[in-house]
Amino acid sequence: AYRPPHDPPALWAFLTQRAIPGVEAPAPEGWRRSLQWPHPTQDGRWLSGWLAVRFDAPHARVELQLSPSLVAASGTLLPAVRRWLDLDAQPEQVDARLKDLPHPGMRLPGALDPFELAVRAVLGQQVTVAAARTLATRLVDAYGEPVDSPWPEVQRCFPRPERLAE
């Protein structure tokens, strides 16, 4: 659940401009992406899979669909999704201070993976959003691991720090 108003089209527009092909993609009324999550398996590897989110505005909630491979990590993944989509914002306080903005319910999207966010921030320094997206796509193509998903546009995970360190 979230406190309305929320402006999902503005959120999706922001994310779409920065989407890394193969890792994430817009979906009807939502978003799809791959993910490696810090829930170590018995052999020491992280869980890999996909997730999809969709806003259900009439009920002021977000529907989250996880790949079976990520269900074991749902306890830590759910709060991360809430932060990513800024679902715990108090819109009356935000809108009071930003009342001159054209869209009530604007939120500040976060990130699911702090490492991915840091890499994307470095790649985006002093270049356009499009150029940063191109650099991130090249990084994922070279070092991202494949992931099975129900969607052809989501087939790779953003590389883990250990992979890039190698």
Side-chain angles (χ1 to χ4, degrees):
Y2 62 88
R3 294 175 192 95
H6 199 308
D7 188 0
L11 176 66
W12 304 143
F14 177 86
L15 293 174
T16 298
Q17 287 181 322
R18 291 154 179 82
I20 301 172
V23 173
E24 56 195 342
E29 299 178 24
W31 199 254
R32 299 170 176 159
R33 69 159 293 142
S34 64
L35 189 64
Q36 289 185 310
W37 196 251
H39 186 83
T41 60
Q42 289 181 350
D43 61 3
R45 294 186 308 157
W46 287 26
L47 299 178
S48 295
W50 53 265
L51 62 82
V53 293
R54 187 183 77 76
F55 275 79
D56 177 6
H59 298 100
R61 66 180 179 203
V62 173
E63 295 176 1
L64 172 64
Q65 182 182 11
L66 296 175
S67 65
S69 59
L70 292 176
V71 170
S74 62
T76 57
L77 194 49
L78 288 174
V81 169
R82 294 191 67 77
R83 284 188 305 273
W84 171 43
L85 301 175
D86 200 15
L87 299 179
D88 294 320
Q90 296 180 354
E92 61 282 350
Q93 291 181 8
V94 173
D95 289 346
R97 288 175 177 76
L98 302 176
K99 61 183 173 275
D100 296 331
L101 291 178
H103 303 287
M106 290 184 72
R107 305 290 176 103
L108 180 62
L112 286 169
D113 180 351
F115 175 73
E116 178 183 330
L117 177 63
V119 171
R120 290 172 83 148
V122 169
L123 293 175
Q125 292 297 307
Q126 300 180 359
V127 298
T128 65
V129 170
R133 180 178 160 167
T134 298
L135 293 171
T137 301
R138 290 178 185 162
L139 185 77
V140 167
D141 288 346
Y143 302 106
E145 294 182 21
V147 67
D148 290 327
S149 91
W151 315 289
E153 66 272 17
V154 176
Q155 80 277 1
R156 297 190 76 73
C157 287
F158 195 87
R160 297 295 328 133
E162 302 80 18
R163 173 84 168 124
L164 291 181
E166 290 173 4

